[in-house]
């Protein structure tokens, strides 16, 4: 039996096992997918165990997407450029790290049939997921990418990797076509971002958060007549891309899958 797992800390909230086990069952595969809470000093041992074939694949979530990199043999271009790994697999006896968050985000946007070419995007936040979003946006031919973060320094750090970014002072809101909440604000139902977006209409609001499904960021935007989308599709597409790498099967994404997640 092949073994897969997702590592993180915390990990209780992760819905990856539900999704992967659903696809494993649907495709009659002899495999299991579990979750494991780890600490920083467990990472080396884990990768060592993978070398001994105790695991066939690993998904990595917060806070290990960058910390896992020194233990891997090779990185995909996406993983290298974003300094972020969420999917690990073995190929030719090498432990490889890839980042499917990039294609996950890109796919979720493509599904909406919005032409992003020449558009202006404002990203709120500068945490772990932001480099993947910027990499994907750069692939889509955006005109301008603004980033604003409560701690400006972290946004400036991103600019070292992505020179085309425009850093905006926290509290300022430049003209944009699409705005992305990539902060953790919204994970609790009552959370409110301290940004004044109350006059913005007919734009596209995207929240990386998918649980709760409608954050206040999205609720307020919807009331004002903006288009909204949460991070559920991004989550599903990044998982599907990992599944394809491990099993060489493109899993089906349909209403049943959306129901499995129950969010
Ligand atoms: P990490 O930085 O470890 O990757 P993350 O959860 O991916 O963590 O990122 C959290 C993001 O949410 C950061 O951009 C954080 O801003 P800071 O860099 O200033 O901490 C942002 N964030 C969290 N709480 C916030 C709040 N109350 N208001 C605004 N931004 C917040």
């Amino acid at each position: 039996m092949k073994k897969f797992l997702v590592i993180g800390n915390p990990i209780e909230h992760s819905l990856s096992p539900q999704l992967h086990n659903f696809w494993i069952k649907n495709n009659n595969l002899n495999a299991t997918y579990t979750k494991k809470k780890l600490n920083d000093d467990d990472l080396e041992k884990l990768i060592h165990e993978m070398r001994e074939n105790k695991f066939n694949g690993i998904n990595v979530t917060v806070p290990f997407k960058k910390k896992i990199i020194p233990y891997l043999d090779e990185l995909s271009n996406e993983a290298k450029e974003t300094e972020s790994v969420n999917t690990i697999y073995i190929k030719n006896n090498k432990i490889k790290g890839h980042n499917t968050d990039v294609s996950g985000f890109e796919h979720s946007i493509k599904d909406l049939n919005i032409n992003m070419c020449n558009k202006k995007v404002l990203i709120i936040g500068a945490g772990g997921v932001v480099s993947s979003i910027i990499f994907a946006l750069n692939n889509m031919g955006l005109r301008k990418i603004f980033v604003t973060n409560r701690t400006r320094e972290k946004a400036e750090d991103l600019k070292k990797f992505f020179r085309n970014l425009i850093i905006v002072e926290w509290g300022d809101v430049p003209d944009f076509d699409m705005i992305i909440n990539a902060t953790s604000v919204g994970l609790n139902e009552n959370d409110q971002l301290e940004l004044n977006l109350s006059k913005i209409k007919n734009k596209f609001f995207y929240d990386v958060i998918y649980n709760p499904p409608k954050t206040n960021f999205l609720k307020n935007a919807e009331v004002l007549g903006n288009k909204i989308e949460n991070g559920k599709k991004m989550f599903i597409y990044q998982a599907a891309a990992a599944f394809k790498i491990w099993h060489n099967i493109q899993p089906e994404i349909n209403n049943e899958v959306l129901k499995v997640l129950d969010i």
Side-chain angles (χ1 to χ4, degrees):
M1 173 172 309
K2 288 191 173 176
K3 279 192 181 166
F4 300 86
L5 83 162
V6 55
I7 58 162
N9 193 347
I11 196 64
E12 296 74 26
H13 66 285
S14 174
L15 297 173
S16 292
Q18 272 102 306
L19 195 49
H20 279 274
N21 285 319
F22 174 78
W23 284 328
I24 284 170
K25 194 164 156 245
N26 262 16
N27 288 286
N28 294 317
L29 300 174
N30 186 20
T32 60
Y33 186 113
T34 53
K35 52 186 164 190
K36 199 168 184 184
K37 184 173 159 187
L38 293 187
N39 294 310
D40 287 7
D41 49 12
D42 297 322
L43 296 179
E44 191 171 3
K45 182 165 169 261
L46 179 81
I47 298 303
H48 184 72
E49 286 176 346
M50 194 164 173
R51 286 187 201 285
E52 293 177 332
N53 290 317
K54 288 195 180 147
F55 302 107
N56 302 81
I58 299 172
N59 272 148
V60 184
T61 187
V62 179
F64 301 128
K65 289 184 183 187
K66 188 171 177 177
K67 289 176 182 163
I68 196 77
I69 291 178
Y71 306 105
L72 308 177
D73 300 327
E74 279 176 14
L75 298 180
S76 68
N77 190 39
E78 287 87 341
K80 220 180 289 171
E81 298 275 327
T82 58
E83 287 199 310
S84 178
V85 163
N86 79 333
T87 303
I88 301 175
Y89 60 106
I90 304 177
K91 197 173 175 190
N92 301 329
N93 285 322
K94 293 250 164 64
I95 309 268
K96 295 197 152 206
H98 183 45
N99 178 354
T100 67
D101 288 330
V102 172
S103 64
F105 178 78
E106 215 170 323
H107 247 104
S108 75
I109 300 293
K110 281 189 181 147
D111 258 9
L112 299 166
N113 280 324
I114 300 175
N115 182 7
M116 297 301 289
C117 202
N118 266 323
K119 297 278 164 62
K120 290 171 280 183
V121 174
L122 171 62
I123 302 172
I124 313 167
V129 72
V130 173
S131 60
S132 304
I133 292 175
I134 296 169
F135 189 93
L137 290 172
N138 278 342
N139 285 345
M140 292 182 222
L142 272 278
R143 181 146 65 96
K144 279 187 184 161
I145 304 176
F146 301 103
V147 175
T148 189
N149 192 50
R150 182 181 58 176
T151 312
R152 185 181 172 115
E153 209 182 1
K154 275 171 72 183
E156 297 286 355
D157 283 346
L158 282 168
K159 200 173 156 72
K160 289 178 197 153
F161 290 93
F162 302 100
R163 293 179 171 271
N164 59 329
L165 296 183
I166 303 163
I167 310 302
V168 174
E169 197 58 35
W170 182 248
D172 290 355
V173 179
D175 180 46
F176 61 80
D177 301 291
M178 176 187 188
I179 183 167
I180 301 170
N181 176 34
T183 71
S184 45
V185 181
L187 286 172
N188 297 314
E189 297 263 359
N190 298 329
D191 285 356
Q192 285 276 11
L193 268 173
E194 284 167 32
L195 285 180
N196 186 1
L197 303 167
S198 62
K199 291 195 173 62
I200 293 167
K201 295 191 175 95
N202 300 321
K203 305 292 183 192
F204 176 27
F205 281 60
Y206 188 105
D207 202 322
V208 174
I209 295 171
Y210 56 87
N211 191 13
K214 221 184 257 181
T215 57
N216 282 325
F217 174 76
L218 293 184
K219 275 184 196 158
N220 298 339
E222 194 175 37
V223 168
L224 291 164
N226 294 286
K227 183 176 171 57
I228 61 166
E229 178 77 9
N230 70 17
K232 189 169 174 176
K233 287 267 185 69
M234 176 180 178
F235 172 69
I236 294 173
Y237 280 124
Q238 66 72 30
F243 194 89
K244 173 82 167 71
I245 289 173
W246 292 330
H247 307 287
N248 201 23
I249 295 170
Q250 190 66 55
E252 227 186 316
I253 296 172
N254 51 26
N255 283 340
E256 222 183 321
V257 171
L258 299 177
K259 253 189 256 155
V260 164
L261 292 179
D262 197 25
I263 41 170

